[in-house]
Amino acid sequence: MKEPKRDLNVITIASNYTIVAVTESGQHLLRIDGYSHTTGIPTGSDIKSSPFRVGGHSWRISYYPGAQTSSWPYYNCISLSLRLDDDAAKPQGVVRARHSFSLLDREGKPGPYFTNNGNKTLANWGTPAFIHRSELETSEHLHGDSFTIRCDVTVVKDIQTKSVGAAPAVPPPPDLNRDLGGLLATGEAADVAFEVDGKAFMAHRCVLMARSPVFRAELSGLQAAAEGSTAGGGSVITVRIEDMEAQDFEALLRYVYTDSLPEEMEEQGEAAAMLPDLVAAANRYEMERLRLLCEDKLRELVDVRTVALMLVFAGEHHCHGLKEACLRFLDDPANLREVVKVNGLEHLSKSCPSVVEDLIAKLAAAP
């Protein structure tokens, strides 16, 4: 008698594996101030950046204003080199990495000059012809005798094989500044009203107190004497701000909520008009990052017509970086002559008495 036929259920277990290269990426900005004073450095000589860390290793950028070599086609080119600065550079050590150099425009975005050297396992990776000096000197990237290079480094730290299931959802980019900006725009649940130059601004005490020690001290001591009501039934405190224009306070509030400056300040005229007032507001409310952002933008506006005023402003508001940029600008004899033509020595002696003696000495020594 035949045995009954049995059906066999075959269960197939499928597993997915992927090879994952664990990487760590970082950036380093190298700003060259006083470019014209570096052009006399001999070919093959470099200026090293301060060390920075990416992927557990220390790195430096070598800047060759006179190129690494005098051979064609590298003659009169600016060269760059990324150097490994720790023990991994020894023969027994291996570092797998990828790097690139970018020349940034005035807005901090990579320009058309971009070099990507691919994967390397050596300790010194160079770009012998990053940009010809004549190209740089006639481009908008060189402004106020300075330019900025960005170095992107990606280090492969480990290669692993992992079992994976369905691909995870990719989280969206951060949107906290957008949400807080919307809260400022709508005024929802606001509990403080500022009166500035005849205009009212609704805001939130908790946000202001978290962002500025001066706001924290001023607002925490106020009694909740109601001059209005929020949607939740709470009290609204009214604060009057003296000696500030409405547009400046509005820009200050925007920074408090979004950590960014108004878009209209990208226009040079708007920036020149508002930046000094924002520096004063940043000092008033002890917001150091805002002050440094504005000071950096003011440095881009230094020219023969503004340098004297900028020096006075820098001294009054303790903007040491702006003062140094003005003095570097005046260090060029050609710039000095133009400044004297535009402003006159008498005006300079009244507005900048601390530097006028240096100016006269430089003018006397200029060819």
Side-chain angles (χ1 to χ4, degrees), residues 132-166:
H132 199 279
R133 291 200 312 207
S134 63
E135 291 182 78
L136 174 66
E137 291 166 3
T138 57
S139 74
E140 62 176 7
H141 300 284
L142 182 66
H143 181 69
D145 205 30
S146 67
F147 65 97
T148 302
I149 294 167
R150 189 182 78 192
C151 179
D152 293 85
V153 183
T154 299
V155 178
V156 181
K157 301 185 69 175
D158 191 15
I159 298 179
Q160 306 171 356
T161 301
K162 293 184 177 180
S163 176
V164 296

Side-chain angles (χ1 to χ4, degrees), residues 57-262:
H57 301 288
S58 180
W59 308 85
R60 289 179 189 264
I61 299 171
S62 287
Y63 162 60
Y64 296 82
Q68 286 178 282
T69 174
S70 59
S71 61
W72 189 89
Y74 309 125
Y75 181 70
N76 270 342
C77 286
I78 289 174
S79 300
L80 299 170
S81 179
L82 178 66
R83 298 178 180 272
L84 197 55
D85 200 42
D86 56 21
D87 289 341
K90 295 179 179 179
Q92 66 268 27
V94 174
V95 177
R96 292 185 297 271
R98 183 175 63 252
H99 81 290
S100 63
F101 293 114
S102 308
L103 185 61
L104 303 186
D105 60 21
R106 295 186 187 181
E107 298 178 353
K109 299 177 181 178
Y113 304 99
F114 186 91
T115 302
N116 191 323
N117 288 324
N119 292 307
K120 300 285 185 179
T121 56
L122 303 177
N124 180 7
W125 314 323
T127 305
F130 179 66
I131 184 174
H132 199 279
R133 291 200 312 207
S134 63
E135 291 182 78
L136 174 66
E137 291 166 3
T138 57
S139 74
E140 62 176 7
H141 300 284
L142 182 66
H143 181 69
D145 205 30
S146 67
F147 65 97
T148 302
I149 294 167
R150 189 182 78 192
C151 179
D152 293 85
V153 183
T154 299
V155 178
V156 181
K157 301 185 69 175
D158 191 15
I159 298 179
Q160 306 171 356
T161 301
K162 293 184 177 180
S163 176
V164 296
V170 178
D175 55 6
L176 179 61
N177 59 340
R178 184 195 66 189
D179 292 340
L180 289 180
L183 196 62
L184 175 65
T186 62
E188 182 180 357
D191 55 4
V192 59
F194 290 95
E195 292 184 2
V196 186
D197 194 24
K199 188 174 180 180
F201 298 93
M202 303 301 295
H204 306 79
R205 281 197 299 166
C206 59
V207 177
L208 297 168
M209 291 168 67
R211 297 283 279 159
S212 161
V214 176
F215 275 131
R216 184 186 305 118
E218 292 179 351
L219 297 177
S220 61
L222 293 177
Q223 298 294 325
E227 292 187 18
S229 297
T230 63
S235 298
V236 175
I237 297 172
T238 299
V239 179
R240 291 177 177 85
I241 302 293
E242 305 292 342
D243 303 324
M244 188 177 294
E245 294 186 4
Q247 65 173 0
D248 298 328
F249 189 77
E250 185 176 12
L252 176 69
L253 279 183
R254 174 184 171 85
Y255 177 81
V256 166
Y257 280 76
T258 68
D259 215 36
S260 62
L261 298 174

Side-chain angles (χ1 to χ4, degrees), residues 44-59:
S45 298
D46 67 325
I47 304 171
K48 294 181 176 60
S49 73
S50 56
F52 60 97
R53 295 193 67 81
V54 178
H57 301 288
S58 180
W59 308 85

